[in-house]
Amino acid sequence: DAKTTQPTSMDCAEGRAANLPCNHSTISGNEYVYWYRQIHSQGPQYIIHGLKNNETNEMASLIITEDRKSSTLILPHATLRDTAVYYCIVNANFGNEKLTFGTGTRLTIIP
Amino acid sequence: ETGVTQSPTHLIKTRGQQVTLRCSSQSGHNTVSWYQQALGQGPQFIFQYYREEENGRGNFPPRFSGLQFPNYSSELNVNALELDDSALYLCASSDLAGGFPETQYFGPGTRLLVL
């Protein structure tokens, strides 16, 4: 599995856009980029995933660079409830979907 | 559509005991994966079950075992508990259709404390 690198922690003001970067320089052509978040002591929550095109859903947007070596998760209007650990994962285990979590980015939304 | 559920929510055991954790997969999902999350770390893959067969295993000893039932619910069994087994145990379900990595949806977890 390709490995990912994320900043350990970030702060963002409430109401502003939170931009969370992720490097995955060794990603393979068939690997997707997934984002999950984990609010304290709860199970990880799926946010979004993509292969090479930018993606948007009701929670967030995912911007993937053209070379696919990095991506950015964007929370457009951060609220206090977005305070969580955010995990960027690459996954292409067809038929054997082991998710390899790193340590993630601890995002704190400041009132 | 119901989400992934796990039971119990919390559990306290002593060293050497055995424990069984349970997971009900999301409606329509045929695959269950189990993860262990120690305090301050990301979840670590234990194993996955697809249609009642083990379909991949992480770096965990044989005293970690599992089952999947015809309704796709699953159990995680841990024998001879050790202090280091204290962790949040997470279950995730997905629909392994083949050809694509399918999104895994997690349950709330079971917090196990071994004394």
Side-chain angles (χ1 to χ4, degrees):
Chain A
D1 292 339
K3 294 185 178 179
T4 63
T5 304
Q6 300 178 252
T8 303
S9 64
M10 293 180 63
D11 293 338
C12 178
E14 188 179 16
R16 305 296 294 267
N19 296 276
L20 291 90
C22 179
N23 287 321
H24 30 80
S25 59
T26 59
I27 192 170
S28 301
N30 61 354
E31 288 181 317
Y32 286 69
V33 180
Y34 277 79
W35 284 83
Y36 285 80
R37 72 181 182 184
Q38 189 171 27
I39 297 170
H40 182 63
S41 293
Q42 299 180 20
Q45 178 188 22
Y46 165 76
I47 302 173
I48 199 167
H49 74 280
L51 182 62
K52 53 184 179 180
N53 296 322
N54 298 338
E55 302 287 345
T56 296
N57 63 19
E58 64 279 4
M59 288 183 68
S61 295
L62 174 59
I63 309 298
I64 303 174
T65 58
E66 192 170 344
D67 63 7
R68 302 208 326 122
K69 293 185 177 182
S70 65
S71 61
T72 301
L73 177 75
I74 301 172
L75 307 178
H77 304 288
T79 71
L80 297 179
R81 286 182 291 184
D82 293 322
T83 293
V85 177
Y86 286 76
Y87 295 100
C88 169
I89 299 166
V90 294
N91 180 30
N93 286 324
F94 299 104
N96 187 348
E97 303 170 53
K98 177 184 71 173
L99 294 179
T100 301
F101 288 80
T103 52
T105 296
R106 181 172 298 278
L107 175 68
T108 302
I109 306 302
I110 310 297
Chain B
E1 180 180 286
T2 56
V4 179
T5 60
Q6 293 185 242
S7 63
T9 55
H10 296 82
L11 203 53
I12 300 175
K13 292 285 189 179
T14 56
R15 273 185 304 175
Q17 285 189 311
Q18 178 266 343
V19 69
T20 297
L21 310 181
R22 295 178 175 82
C23 171
S24 291
S25 59
Q26 184 168 311
S27 175
H29 286 179
N30 55 23
T31 303
V32 172
S33 303
W34 286 91
Y35 295 80
Q36 180 196 65
Q37 186 174 24
L39 203 59
Q41 299 182 19
Q44 301 295 309
F45 177 74
I46 303 175
F47 45 55
Q48 180 187 89
Y49 278 83
Y50 169 60
R51 293 188 174 178
E52 304 178 57
E53 298 284 335
E54 188 177 291
N55 185 46
R57 188 179 183 93
N59 188 27
F60 281 81
R63 59 190 185 84
F64 285 78
S65 62
L67 283 174
Q68 187 180 32
F69 300 100
N71 66 354
Y72 303 127
S73 66
S74 177
E75 286 183 355
L76 164 65
N77 299 290
V78 187
N79 293 322
L81 284 167
E82 302 176 0
L83 297 180
D84 285 349
D85 295 333
S86 295
L88 180 67
Y89 287 85
L90 296 160
C91 162
S93 76
S94 55
D95 181 15
L96 191 54
F100 300 93
E102 294 292 338
T103 301
Q104 294 188 26
Y105 295 92
F106 285 81
T110 293
R111 185 161 297 282
L112 172 66
L113 177 61
V114 182
L115 301 175

